[in-house]
Amino acid sequence: MKKSNPNKKTRNKALTDQKLIDAVTEIFQKEGHTGLGVNKVARVAGVHKKHIYDNFETFDRLVEQYVIKTDYWILFGNKVQEAINENAPADTQQLISSILKNQFKSFYEDKDMQKLILWEVSTDSALMRSIHNTREMTGQKLLELTDANFEGTEVNFRAIAALLVGGIYYTILHTRFNGGIFSDINISTEEGRSEMVRALEMMVKWAFDAGSNQKK
């Protein structure tokens, strides 16, 4: 009796997983979330749909794996954890500023991430709520780094961060579908985007300066 090779099974599963994730990617890029479905993903991947349930348990779990590979905040989670482990409060302002500036640049360039955010804010989806909660946990870890800077002051940096992140999403999505001009700044130009990034850095500085001044 021929023995099964566990290593081969593992490789085959990994290959099938990748085919399915690649299929989700292809469909999402072409059609958005409305194009996603079990039968279509299996057909594009060239595998039987039972593999979706065998390998991921549910179709949402499969899509979630694609989202995790795409979402800026989730991808940044490990770096946030590294910053927490290093416990370097002196670098907190620079870290926050760098993350927000990188988020603006990444979100502008990443059409898939733009579609994901549109999906999240336009549908009642258990999957998107789960992704949102995962993103919030990453953001919470990051914001905890700032607590020492604003403790005992009137500066609510969580509220400021919410407006900055929301502003990044809305500005880029709005200009994508309605032309490049927003508040008389042409976001479609390198110069315009540089001005937006500089403004993010300035607003973070103002918040940290205000917190520092109120502690004196």
Side-chain angles (χ1 to χ4, degrees):
M1 182 176 178
K2 189 176 181 180
K3 294 182 179 180
S4 62
N5 186 334
N7 291 330
K8 185 177 180 180
K9 284 186 177 180
T10 300
R11 288 195 299 271
N12 288 341
K13 180 183 181 302
L15 181 61
T16 301
D17 287 355
Q18 191 58 54
K19 285 181 178 179
L20 288 166
I21 293 172
D22 289 345
V24 171
T25 303
E26 180 181 337
I27 295 167
F28 188 80
Q29 288 175 344
K30 291 179 179 178
E31 304 177 41
H33 71 276
T34 56
L36 294 174
V38 174
N39 292 326
K40 183 182 287 187
V41 168
R43 184 171 67 253
V44 171
V47 302
H48 195 282
K49 66 181 181 181
K50 78 180 187 66
H51 289 298
I52 293 174
Y53 304 106
D54 289 344
N55 294 10
F56 295 94
E57 295 185 5
T58 68
F59 182 65
D60 276 359
R61 289 270 182 88
L62 166 59
V63 178
E64 187 177 47
Q65 288 304 305
Y66 162 71
V67 175
I68 288 171
K69 291 176 179 291
T70 305
D71 193 296
Y72 173 85
W73 282 105
I74 296 175
L75 290 172
F76 210 81
N78 290 336
K79 292 185 179 181
V80 172
Q81 190 60 55
E82 287 174 10
I84 294 170
N85 293 340
E86 289 171 2
N87 192 25
D91 299 328
T92 302
Q93 179 182 331
Q94 181 180 352
L95 175 65
I96 297 290
S97 180
S98 176
I99 288 172
L100 289 172
K101 290 190 294 182
N102 284 332
Q103 188 198 9
F104 181 91
K105 295 173 183 176
S106 297
F107 191 61
Y108 179 82
E109 295 169 357
D110 193 336
K111 305 303 183 189
D112 289 350
M113 184 62 184
Q114 292 171 19
K115 290 178 183 177
L116 286 173
I117 294 299
L118 280 174
W119 183 8
E120 183 176 308
V121 301
S122 62
T123 59
D124 182 9
S125 165
L127 171 61
M128 286 296 103
R129 283 194 296 274
S130 174
I131 294 298
H132 170 76
N133 290 337
T134 301
R135 193 185 298 123
E136 278 293 300
M137 286 190 290
T138 300
Q140 177 65 25
K141 292 176 182 179
L142 178 61
L143 290 169
E144 285 173 358
L145 291 175
T146 71
D147 286 344
N149 298 88
F150 301 105
E151 186 177 3
T153 75
E154 295 180 353
V155 180
N156 186 336
F157 191 73
R158 281 167 171 75
I160 293 170
L163 290 170
L164 292 178
V165 172
I168 290 171
Y169 289 153
Y170 183 79
T171 301
I172 291 174
L173 291 175
H174 190 280
T175 53
R176 174 184 172 185
F177 293 103
N178 297 287
I181 306 296
F182 197 100
S183 295
D184 204 32
I185 296 176
N186 191 345
I187 309 299
S188 65
T189 67
E190 183 67 36
E191 181 182 3
R193 293 193 296 277
S194 294
E195 286 299 313
M196 296 295 289
V197 168
R198 191 167 72 91
L200 284 168
E201 186 172 31
M202 290 173 63
M203 285 184 280
V204 171
K205 183 179 184 303
W206 291 339
F208 274 78
D209 286 348
S212 178
N213 290 336
Q214 289 183 26
K215 282 178 172 290
K216 292 179 181 179

